[in-house]
Amino acid sequence: MNRLPNCDGRVWWMNPLSVSSRVSAMDVSRRVLKCTLALWAAFVCAGGIGLAQEAMVESLRVYPPEIILETSRSRQLLVVQAVYSDGITRDVTAQVQLQLSNAALVRQEGATLFPAADGEGQLTVSFGGKSQAVPVKVTKATENRDISFRLDIMPIFMKTGCNTGSCHGAARGKDGFRLSLFGFDPDGDHYRLTRELSGRRLDLAVPSKSLLIEKAVGAVPHTGGKRFTPDSEVCRELERWIDANCPNDPPTVPTCTSIAIYPTQAVLDGEGEKQQVTVIAKYSDGTTRDVTALSLFLSNDDSVASINPDGSVTAGQRGEAYIMARFATHTVGSQYIVLPKGLKFSFPPQTPVNYVDELVNAKLQKLRMAPSAVCDDETFLRRVFLDLTGTLPTNEDYQRFVPSPDPQKRQKLIDELLERKEFTEIWVQYWAEWLMIRSNNVISPKAALLYYNWLADQIGRNVPLDKMVQDLLSASGGTFKVPQTNYYQNETDILKVAENVAQVFMGMRIQCAQCHNHPFDRWTMDDYYSFAAFFSQIGRSEEHTSELQSPCNLVCRL
């Protein structure tokens, strides 16, 4: 018996073997076709994706923007991202058509390109009616690059987590073995690996039997557990280095100057969507290298977007996350926005008042969020008073503002509040906290008051912030005659001054880089102490004045 649907929702039965069936084959065909068309129309009307409504490919993004392969050990992971008309991005690397102007240049394995012969050419990538061309350059295709401790081995300790603070990167190491935290001391790490302890840590005769490898692959007990498999590329590189007698690098070895992660941003359509990333390192000798396999990947919110050790991002719940790649001393990030699957969204028309509105609206469009509706006059009145003056509106303010029919009354009220002394006072309060204006054993109450009055004058006269900060940091003179010099009396430790300046005026926390390279930012110990060295120019001397009979009126000079 066959069970066929009726267009009105009922179900009827038919025995196809019965000669006395009440329904002919023609009637069955008509009825099924009619129901199919009705269901399709209902699907389209309900928001299903019809052929006319399907988002089209607007552009292709091919990463990296150029492919440079040098020596036989080079490789390049190709990533192709399609941008659709609805703003969604998809990883279409596996679906694109590749056409190389000189097919003899490279050898392709999946999405990875390997050098085959020297030369230059162009790779054309096509998908969805769009195409993008990237230049290809191959040099030294038949030459084998020697194993490098800094370029090939040190990144392994970072990627596998061996030199983190919770493992061998701790100040005292772990289980008798210590590495520099995040690899800031390659020479020290090489010494500790090859000279500090004789025995089975490195086995030059049988590299695979080295304790360094056996513990990492789980062949012998290891507190940190299994870090990689014996057949992994990481393991093969370690064995290759040991087999080469564990060489250290000459002083001329190039250093990594920067890295880039691609794609720089993605908008993923629903949970489970994937996006592969690729990481390119630039070196001091001008060369570039695909270091995706050697990079450590992190996500600031795994519930939104998680990333595996191979660099494949998987979308989770709706939200925004940043994927970070760390290699050598550098950390870079890319933005990932995850939306509900098949979300239909139309951004309501907006009239931006200034560039802030334009930036906010652009972000809301990416997140598929409509701006809040314009609030009523009573709500606006309360909010604008609290925001600009830190006070509530009075009854007189209410009676003057709410009944007014003036269409420009909100703009006029904002301008009026900006001129009030309360606006200056609340911002002086904020800045006084940030600049730590207070009296203590070094700063007298008079000096603190003069410092406070200087700040109030700067804000009251609407001095641009860059000018105010320049005047503050370059101040020279007595703490009474030039009150802003008290900034250098609040904290006299040079390192603390550098940290305060970076945090207050540059929005960066660099404290971590005092002891080791920053684990989540690009700042190194060299950056930290180079920045702090600027403030070593600050000089202080004591002056006695008739106003103050103690040597507390200090002169700060740059």
mmCIF file of all heavy atoms in Angstrom, residues 158-159 164 182 261 277 295-302 305-309 311 313 321-327 331-334 336 519-521:
data_model
loop_
_atom_site.group_PDB
_atom_site.id
_atom_site.type_symbol
_atom_site.label_atom_id
_atom_site.label_comp_id
_atom_site.label_asym_id
_atom_site.label_seq_id
_atom_site.Cartn_x
_atom_site.Cartn_y
_atom_site.Cartn_z
ATOM 1 N N MET A 158 56.815 25.939 21.644
ATOM 2 C CA MET A 158 55.694 26.844 21.847
ATOM 3 C C MET A 158 54.377 26.158 21.464
ATOM 4 O O MET A 158 53.395 26.204 22.212
ATOM 5 C CB MET A 158 55.900 28.105 21.008
ATOM 6 C CG MET A 158 54.699 29.029 20.945
ATOM 7 S SD MET A 158 54.424 29.928 22.464
ATOM 8 C CE MET A 158 55.789 31.087 22.379
ATOM 9 N N LYS A 159 54.347 25.523 20.303
ATOM 10 C CA LYS A 159 53.098 24.932 19.810
ATOM 11 C C LYS A 159 52.609 23.814 20.715
ATOM 12 O O LYS A 159 51.405 23.657 20.944
ATOM 13 C CB LYS A 159 53.298 24.409 18.385
ATOM 14 C CG LYS A 159 52.020 23.854 17.766
ATOM 15 C CD LYS A 159 52.220 23.456 16.335
ATOM 16 C CE LYS A 159 50.923 22.926 15.720
ATOM 17 N NZ LYS A 159 49.867 23.939 15.649
ATOM 18 N N THR A 164 55.518 26.855 28.403
ATOM 19 C CA THR A 164 54.580 27.732 29.096
ATOM 20 C C THR A 164 54.901 27.780 30.587
ATOM 21 O O THR A 164 55.679 26.978 31.107
ATOM 22 C CB THR A 164 53.129 27.247 28.906
ATOM 23 O OG1 THR A 164 53.005 25.928 29.469
ATOM 24 C CG2 THR A 164 52.764 27.198 27.436
ATOM 25 N N PHE A 182 58.155 30.904 26.987
ATOM 26 C CA PHE A 182 57.729 31.286 25.642
ATOM 27 C C PHE A 182 58.915 31.429 24.686
ATOM 28 O O PHE A 182 58.820 32.107 23.669
ATOM 29 C CB PHE A 182 56.906 32.574 25.656
ATOM 30 C CG PHE A 182 55.701 32.498 26.548
ATOM 31 C CD1 PHE A 182 55.527 33.399 27.579
ATOM 32 C CD2 PHE A 182 54.745 31.517 26.370
ATOM 33 C CE1 PHE A 182 54.428 33.322 28.411
ATOM 34 C CE2 PHE A 182 53.635 31.429 27.194
ATOM 35 C CZ PHE A 182 53.487 32.332 28.219
ATOM 36 N N ILE A 261 47.939 36.560 9.993
ATOM 37 C CA ILE A 261 46.985 35.454 9.962
ATOM 38 C C ILE A 261 45.894 35.783 8.950
ATOM 39 O O ILE A 261 45.398 36.919 8.900
ATOM 40 C CB ILE A 261 46.385 35.195 11.369
ATOM 41 C CG1 ILE A 261 45.443 33.985 11.328
ATOM 42 C CG2 ILE A 261 45.687 36.415 11.924
ATOM 43 C CD1 ILE A 261 44.935 33.555 12.704
ATOM 44 N N VAL A 277 42.594 28.593 8.596
ATOM 45 C CA VAL A 277 43.438 29.779 8.603
ATOM 46 C C VAL A 277 44.833 29.398 8.133
ATOM 47 O O VAL A 277 45.231 28.227 8.175
ATOM 48 C CB VAL A 277 43.510 30.426 10.006
ATOM 49 C CG1 VAL A 277 42.128 30.729 10.533
ATOM 50 C CG2 VAL A 277 44.281 29.542 10.983
ATOM 51 N N SER A 295 52.483 27.189 14.339
ATOM 52 C CA SER A 295 51.879 28.247 15.142
ATOM 53 C C SER A 295 50.990 27.671 16.232
ATOM 54 O O SER A 295 50.373 26.610 16.066
ATOM 55 C CB SER A 295 51.059 29.193 14.255
ATOM 56 O OG SER A 295 51.877 29.832 13.305
ATOM 57 N N LEU A 296 50.924 28.402 17.331
ATOM 58 C CA LEU A 296 50.019 28.062 18.423
ATOM 59 C C LEU A 296 48.745 28.873 18.251
ATOM 60 O O LEU A 296 48.796 30.102 18.120
ATOM 61 C CB LEU A 296 50.674 28.383 19.771
ATOM 62 C CG LEU A 296 49.792 28.243 21.013
ATOM 63 C CD1 LEU A 296 49.407 26.784 21.232
ATOM 64 C CD2 LEU A 296 50.492 28.800 22.240
ATOM 65 N N PHE A 297 47.602 28.196 18.258
ATOM 66 C CA PHE A 297 46.331 28.867 18.031
ATOM 67 C C PHE A 297 45.515 28.921 19.319
ATOM 68 O O PHE A 297 45.468 27.949 20.080
ATOM 69 C CB PHE A 297 45.530 28.159 16.938
ATOM 70 C CG PHE A 297 46.191 28.179 15.594
ATOM 71 C CD1 PHE A 297 46.782 27.035 15.068
ATOM 72 C CD2 PHE A 297 46.242 29.348 14.859
ATOM 73 C CE1 PHE A 297 47.396 27.054 13.833
ATOM 74 C CE2 PHE A 297 46.859 29.380 13.612
ATOM 75 C CZ PHE A 297 47.436 28.227 13.104
ATOM 76 N N LEU A 298 44.863 30.059 19.524
ATOM 77 C CA LEU A 298 44.037 30.279 20.707
ATOM 78 C C LEU A 298 42.759 30.996 20.303
ATOM 79 O O LEU A 298 42.710 31.692 19.290
ATOM 80 C CB LEU A 298 44.783 31.135 21.749
ATOM 81 C CG LEU A 298 46.152 30.647 22.228
ATOM 82 C CD1 LEU A 298 46.883 31.758 22.964
ATOM 83 C CD2 LEU A 298 45.998 29.430 23.129
ATOM 84 N N SER A 299 41.720 30.828 21.102
ATOM 85 C CA SER A 299 40.468 31.558 20.918
ATOM 86 C C SER A 299 40.102 32.224 22.235
ATOM 87 O O SER A 299 40.256 31.622 23.298
ATOM 88 C CB SER A 299 39.338 30.619 20.473
ATOM 89 O OG SER A 299 38.085 31.305 20.480
ATOM 90 N N ASN A 300 39.641 33.466 22.158
ATOM 91 C CA ASN A 300 39.248 34.136 23.400
ATOM 92 C C ASN A 300 37.865 33.707 23.868
ATOM 93 O O ASN A 300 37.457 34.040 24.973
ATOM 94 C CB ASN A 300 39.299 35.659 23.234
ATOM 95 C CG ASN A 300 38.147 36.198 22.402
ATOM 96 O OD1 ASN A 300 37.636 35.515 21.510
ATOM 97 N ND2 ASN A 300 37.725 37.416 22.690
ATOM 98 N N ASP A 301 37.139 32.940 23.045
ATOM 99 C CA ASP A 301 35.824 32.433 23.438
ATOM 100 C C ASP A 301 35.534 31.165 22.644
ATOM 101 O O ASP A 301 35.017 31.219 21.526
ATOM 102 C CB ASP A 301 34.732 33.481 23.190
ATOM 103 C CG ASP A 301 33.414 33.123 23.860
ATOM 104 O OD1 ASP A 301 33.226 31.941 24.224
ATOM 105 O OD2 ASP A 301 32.556 34.015 24.020
ATOM 106 N N ASP A 302 35.868 30.026 23.227
ATOM 107 C CA ASP A 302 35.678 28.751 22.527
ATOM 108 C C ASP A 302 34.217 28.425 22.295
ATOM 109 O O ASP A 302 33.893 27.635 21.398
ATOM 110 C CB ASP A 302 36.329 27.615 23.329
ATOM 111 C CG ASP A 302 37.843 27.630 23.217
ATOM 112 O OD1 ASP A 302 38.351 27.891 22.117
ATOM 113 O OD2 ASP A 302 38.514 27.397 24.237
ATOM 114 N N ALA A 305 33.729 30.456 18.830
ATOM 115 C CA ALA A 305 34.576 29.943 17.753
ATOM 116 C C ALA A 305 35.788 29.264 18.371
ATOM 117 O O ALA A 305 36.538 29.901 19.109
ATOM 118 C CB ALA A 305 35.015 31.068 16.813
ATOM 119 N N SER A 306 35.946 27.993 18.103
ATOM 120 C CA SER A 306 37.088 27.237 18.606
ATOM 121 C C SER A 306 38.024 26.925 17.436
ATOM 122 O O SER A 306 37.606 26.924 16.275
ATOM 123 C CB SER A 306 36.640 25.946 19.283
ATOM 124 O OG SER A 306 35.928 25.126 18.363
ATOM 125 N N ILE A 307 39.279 26.656 17.751
ATOM 126 C CA ILE A 307 40.263 26.353 16.705
ATOM 127 C C ILE A 307 41.118 25.193 17.156
ATOM 128 O O ILE A 307 41.530 25.112 18.323
ATOM 129 C CB ILE A 307 41.115 27.603 16.384
ATOM 130 C CG1 ILE A 307 42.061 27.309 15.211
ATOM 131 C CG2 ILE A 307 41.872 28.108 17.604
ATOM 132 C CD1 ILE A 307 42.717 28.555 14.638
ATOM 133 N N ASN A 308 41.378 24.258 16.256
ATOM 134 C CA ASN A 308 42.190 23.096 16.605
ATOM 135 C C ASN A 308 43.662 23.369 16.293
ATOM 136 O O ASN A 308 43.997 24.401 15.701
ATOM 137 C CB ASN A 308 41.675 21.846 15.870
ATOM 138 C CG ASN A 308 41.860 21.924 14.367
ATOM 139 O OD1 ASN A 308 42.588 22.764 13.844
ATOM 140 N ND2 ASN A 308 41.203 21.035 13.639
ATOM 141 N N PRO A 309 44.562 22.488 16.693
ATOM 142 C CA PRO A 309 45.995 22.741 16.474
ATOM 143 C C PRO A 309 46.384 22.900 15.010
ATOM 144 O O PRO A 309 47.429 23.481 14.709
ATOM 145 C CB PRO A 309 46.665 21.501 17.087
ATOM 146 C CG PRO A 309 45.695 21.015 18.115
ATOM 147 C CD PRO A 309 44.350 21.291 17.540
ATOM 148 N N GLY A 311 44.713 24.646 12.850
ATOM 149 C CA GLY A 311 44.262 25.941 12.355
ATOM 150 C C GLY A 311 42.896 25.938 11.725
ATOM 151 O O GLY A 311 42.570 26.841 10.945
ATOM 152 N N VAL A 313 39.013 26.528 12.206
ATOM 153 C CA VAL A 313 38.070 27.192 13.103
ATOM 154 C C VAL A 313 36.695 26.558 12.935
ATOM 155 O O VAL A 313 36.237 26.335 11.809
ATOM 156 C CB VAL A 313 38.001 28.698 12.813
ATOM 157 C CG1 VAL A 313 36.989 29.378 13.741
ATOM 158 C CG2 VAL A 313 39.372 29.334 12.961
ATOM 159 N N ALA A 321 34.116 36.365 18.435
ATOM 160 C CA ALA A 321 35.326 35.840 19.066
ATOM 161 C C ALA A 321 36.530 36.269 18.250
ATOM 162 O O ALA A 321 36.417 36.644 17.073
ATOM 163 C CB ALA A 321 35.272 34.312 19.175
ATOM 164 N N TYR A 322 37.684 36.204 18.907
ATOM 165 C CA TYR A 322 38.931 36.520 18.219
ATOM 166 C C TYR A 322 39.841 35.298 18.270
ATOM 167 O O TYR A 322 40.080 34.729 19.333
ATOM 168 C CB TYR A 322 39.616 37.733 18.846
ATOM 169 C CG TYR A 322 38.992 39.033 18.406
ATOM 170 C CD1 TYR A 322 37.864 39.536 19.054
ATOM 171 C CD2 TYR A 322 39.480 39.740 17.308
ATOM 172 C CE1 TYR A 322 37.261 40.714 18.636
ATOM 173 C CE2 TYR A 322 38.882 40.908 16.884
ATOM 174 C CZ TYR A 322 37.786 41.401 17.548
ATOM 175 O OH TYR A 322 37.183 42.551 17.126
ATOM 176 N N ILE A 323 40.292 34.914 17.102
ATOM 177 C CA ILE A 323 41.225 33.800 16.962
ATOM 178 C C ILE A 323 42.634 34.369 16.910
ATOM 179 O O ILE A 323 42.915 35.272 16.114
ATOM 180 C CB ILE A 323 40.927 32.989 15.692
ATOM 181 C CG1 ILE A 323 39.524 32.362 15.782
ATOM 182 C CG2 ILE A 323 41.985 31.916 15.484
ATOM 183 C CD1 ILE A 323 39.349 31.377 16.910
ATOM 184 N N MET A 324 43.509 33.850 17.767
ATOM 185 C CA MET A 324 44.877 34.357 17.836
ATOM 186 C C MET A 324 45.860 33.287 17.401
ATOM 187 O O MET A 324 45.678 32.103 17.701
ATOM 188 C CB MET A 324 45.203 34.820 19.257
ATOM 189 C CG MET A 324 44.416 36.051 19.686
ATOM 190 S SD MET A 324 44.583 36.406 21.449
ATOM 191 C CE MET A 324 43.529 35.138 22.140
ATOM 192 N N ALA A 325 46.883 33.739 16.707
ATOM 193 C CA ALA A 325 47.983 32.861 16.296
ATOM 194 C C ALA A 325 49.264 33.407 16.905
ATOM 195 O O ALA A 325 49.532 34.618 16.831
ATOM 196 C CB ALA A 325 48.103 32.806 14.778
ATOM 197 N N ARG A 326 50.041 32.521 17.519
ATOM 198 C CA ARG A 326 51.293 32.933 18.137
ATOM 199 C C ARG A 326 52.438 32.146 17.514
ATOM 200 O O ARG A 326 52.397 30.911 17.429
ATOM 201 C CB ARG A 326 51.258 32.709 19.644
ATOM 202 C CG ARG A 326 52.540 33.184 20.340
ATOM 203 C CD ARG A 326 52.385 33.193 21.849
ATOM 204 N NE ARG A 326 53.606 33.619 22.509
ATOM 205 C CZ ARG A 326 53.990 34.870 22.669
ATOM 206 N NH1 ARG A 326 53.221 35.830 22.224
ATOM 207 N NH2 ARG A 326 55.122 35.174 23.282
ATOM 208 N N PHE A 327 53.467 32.886 17.090
ATOM 209 C CA PHE A 327 54.661 32.265 16.528
ATOM 210 C C PHE A 327 55.844 33.140 16.898
ATOM 211 O O PHE A 327 55.778 34.377 16.778
ATOM 212 C CB PHE A 327 54.561 32.134 15.014
ATOM 213 C CG PHE A 327 55.791 31.557 14.369
ATOM 214 C CD1 PHE A 327 56.024 30.189 14.415
ATOM 215 C CD2 PHE A 327 56.725 32.373 13.750
ATOM 216 C CE1 PHE A 327 57.160 29.650 13.831
ATOM 217 C CE2 PHE A 327 57.856 31.847 13.167
ATOM 218 C CZ PHE A 327 58.085 30.477 13.211
ATOM 219 N N THR A 331 52.196 37.762 18.216
ATOM 220 C CA THR A 331 50.817 37.298 18.345
ATOM 221 C C THR A 331 49.919 38.196 17.514
ATOM 222 O O THR A 331 49.989 39.424 17.631
ATOM 223 C CB THR A 331 50.351 37.320 19.811
ATOM 224 O OG1 THR A 331 51.220 36.511 20.604
ATOM 225 C CG2 THR A 331 48.932 36.791 19.933
ATOM 226 N N VAL A 332 49.094 37.613 16.663
ATOM 227 C CA VAL A 332 48.144 38.370 15.859
ATOM 228 C C VAL A 332 46.770 37.712 15.996
ATOM 229 O O VAL A 332 46.657 36.550 16.397
ATOM 230 C CB VAL A 332 48.559 38.427 14.375
ATOM 231 C CG1 VAL A 332 49.820 39.231 14.195
ATOM 232 C CG2 VAL A 332 48.735 37.032 13.807
ATOM 233 N N GLY A 333 45.730 38.477 15.677
ATOM 234 C CA GLY A 333 44.378 37.958 15.822
ATOM 235 C C GLY A 333 43.502 38.294 14.640
ATOM 236 O O GLY A 333 43.813 39.187 13.840
ATOM 237 N N SER A 334 42.404 37.576 14.508
ATOM 238 C CA SER A 334 41.407 37.847 13.473
ATOM 239 C C SER A 334 40.020 37.707 14.088
ATOM 240 O O SER A 334 39.803 36.920 15.007
ATOM 241 C CB SER A 334 41.569 36.898 12.282
ATOM 242 O OG SER A 334 41.484 35.548 12.700
ATOM 243 N N TYR A 336 36.049 36.834 14.296
ATOM 244 C CA TYR A 336 35.074 35.850 13.809
ATOM 245 C C TYR A 336 33.717 36.172 14.419
ATOM 246 O O TYR A 336 33.584 36.306 15.638
ATOM 247 C CB TYR A 336 35.495 34.424 14.171
ATOM 248 C CG TYR A 336 36.530 33.863 13.237
ATOM 249 C CD1 TYR A 336 37.853 34.285 13.304
ATOM 250 C CD2 TYR A 336 36.192 32.950 12.251
ATOM 251 C CE1 TYR A 336 38.810 33.809 12.422
ATOM 252 C CE2 TYR A 336 37.143 32.461 11.366
ATOM 253 C CZ TYR A 336 38.442 32.892 11.461
ATOM 254 O OH TYR A 336 39.381 32.420 10.576
ATOM 255 N N PRO A 519 52.620 36.984 26.503
ATOM 256 C CA PRO A 519 52.032 35.762 25.941
ATOM 257 C C PRO A 519 50.856 35.998 25.010
ATOM 258 O O PRO A 519 50.534 35.142 24.190
ATOM 259 C CB PRO A 519 51.595 34.988 27.196
ATOM 260 C CG PRO A 519 51.367 36.044 28.226
ATOM 261 C CD PRO A 519 52.372 37.118 27.943
ATOM 262 N N PHE A 520 50.186 37.150 25.120
ATOM 263 C CA PHE A 520 48.984 37.375 24.319
ATOM 264 C C PHE A 520 49.051 38.661 23.500
ATOM 265 O O PHE A 520 48.043 39.109 22.979
ATOM 266 C CB PHE A 520 47.751 37.415 25.226
ATOM 267 C CG PHE A 520 47.611 36.203 26.099
ATOM 268 C CD1 PHE A 520 47.683 36.317 27.470
ATOM 269 C CD2 PHE A 520 47.453 34.947 25.543
ATOM 270 C CE1 PHE A 520 47.572 35.197 28.279
ATOM 271 C CE2 PHE A 520 47.348 33.830 26.337
ATOM 272 C CZ PHE A 520 47.405 33.953 27.708
ATOM 273 N N ASP A 521 50.221 39.239 23.415
ATOM 274 C CA ASP A 521 50.371 40.449 22.615
ATOM 275 C C ASP A 521 51.740 40.412 21.946
ATOM 276 O O ASP A 521 52.522 39.492 22.162
ATOM 277 C CB ASP A 521 50.233 41.700 23.497
ATOM 278 C CG ASP A 521 49.595 42.856 22.748
ATOM 279 O OD1 ASP A 521 49.796 42.938 21.509
ATOM 280 O OD2 ASP A 521 48.908 43.683 23.377
#
